[in-house]
Amino acid sequence: NEATLKGEMIDERIWHCHKIKNTAENKKRNKIKWYFIVCFTVMVYYATILIRIPVTSSGYINFGDVVIIFSGLFGGWKAGLIAGGIGSALADLIGFPVFAPITLIVKGLEGLIAGLAKPAIKWQIYFFPAIAVIIMIAGYFLGCWLFPNLGLAVAIADLPVNIIQAVAGYIGGIALHLAYTKISST
């Protein structure tokens, strides 16, 4: 609540400095506030770097996908795209910098696709995140396969790990969204 209040105060200053009328119509256009996107980006970053479970081939399992799916479901495609891409790529810069460009694209797409469920029709909450994690698995498979020093053997070795991370992200992100929706509606 305090972060929302401070963010709204900054929004008011921005509106005032740019001499934009703070009308209900302008507020409606900007449904997801910029400070939520910044918060989601930081949350993805920390969920990715705080708990890293190394795997035998290359990379690690983390909980960033949970936050990426939640960011998309809560904030829409733009929040999912920015938080997923930038937050995960920044985390990869610490430890696995060669994967940062692949991660920027793959995780950004994951958040974008999950965010297409933002209107929150019941079936969309399950469908779009499922497509998002499938794209994440395929994106990392292709990224590893096409990467000059890795190749097909590493892509195949990483496949089970990416599937586990995708399933955990799917279940965790949807569960977090449903819990938030239930809590906020009471």
Side-chain angles (χ1 to χ4, degrees), residues 68-80:
I68 293 170
I69 297 297
F70 175 73
S71 299
L73 291 173
F74 179 86
W77 69 268
K78 191 184 302 182

Side-chain angles (χ1 to χ4, degrees), residues 70-160:
F70 175 73
S71 299
L73 291 173
F74 179 86
W77 69 268
K78 191 184 302 182
L81 172 72
I82 294 170
I86 294 175
S88 297
L90 285 173
D92 267 1
L93 287 175
I94 301 171
F96 296 92
V98 293
F99 280 103
I102 296 169
T103 297
L104 177 70
I105 294 166
V106 171
K107 298 290 185 157
L109 281 173
E110 180 183 11
L112 183 144
I113 301 297
L116 294 177
K118 175 67 169 128
I121 297 171
K122 196 66 166 174
W123 67 270
Q124 290 179 340
I125 292 172
Y126 301 101
F127 177 74
F128 284 111
I131 299 300
V133 296
I134 290 169
I135 287 173
M136 187 272 290
I137 294 167
Y140 274 116
F141 183 83
L142 288 173
C144 285
W145 186 8
L146 299 175
F147 202 81
N149 295 336
L150 300 176
L152 184 59
V154 173
I156 292 171
D158 277 353
L159 193 57

Side-chain angles (χ1 to χ4, degrees), residues 16 39 51 54-55 57 61 68 77 84 87 91 119 123 134 140-141 147 161 178:
H16 181 72
C39 179
I51 301 175
V55 294
S57 54
I61 294 177
I68 293 170
W77 69 268
W123 67 270
I134 290 169
Y140 274 116
F141 183 83
F147 202 81
V161 173
L178 293 173

